[in-house]
């Protein structure tokens, strides 16, 4: 997750069967009317790919970690860290 001016760029690997970057999700991340957690959940929901499920982790757990990482990254970037 990186910040470019007022927008965010996000890419993920390990959560899906292939690396993913999704423009509509990135637009959601910039909506400051929502909390960081709400934006992270909405961004995850907007991605049209299924979260990977295998012997390492369930898709539910991968989605949970994905949302946590996005929310934590948003809070850190918005706090100037």
């Amino acid at each position: 997750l990186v910040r470019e001016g007022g927008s965010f760029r996000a890419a993920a690997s390990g959560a899906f069967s292939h690396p993913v970057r999704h423009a509509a999700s990135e637009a959601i991340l910039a909506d400051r009317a929502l909390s960081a957690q709400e934006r992270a959940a909405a961004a995850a929901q907007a991605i049209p790919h299924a979260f990977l499920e295998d012997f390492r982790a369930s898709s539910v757990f991968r989605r949970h970690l994905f949302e946590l990482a996005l929310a934590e990254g948003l809070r850190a970037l918005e706090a100037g860290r």
Side-chain angles (χ1 to χ4, degrees), residues 10-13 15-29 39-52 62-63 66-67 70:
S13 63
F16 306 97
S17 62
H18 56 283
V20 169
R21 183 166 171 224
H22 189 249
S25 291
E26 292 174 342
I28 292 167
L29 296 176
R39 287 181 280 166
Q45 181 67 33
I47 296 174
H49 305 288
F51 282 83
L52 183 63
R62 288 178 196 267
R63 181 186 176 123
F66 180 78
E67 290 180 18
L70 276 179

Side-chain angles (χ1 to χ4, degrees), residues 28 33-43 71:
I28 292 167
L34 302 173
S35 72
Q37 188 61 43
E38 291 169 328
R39 287 181 280 166

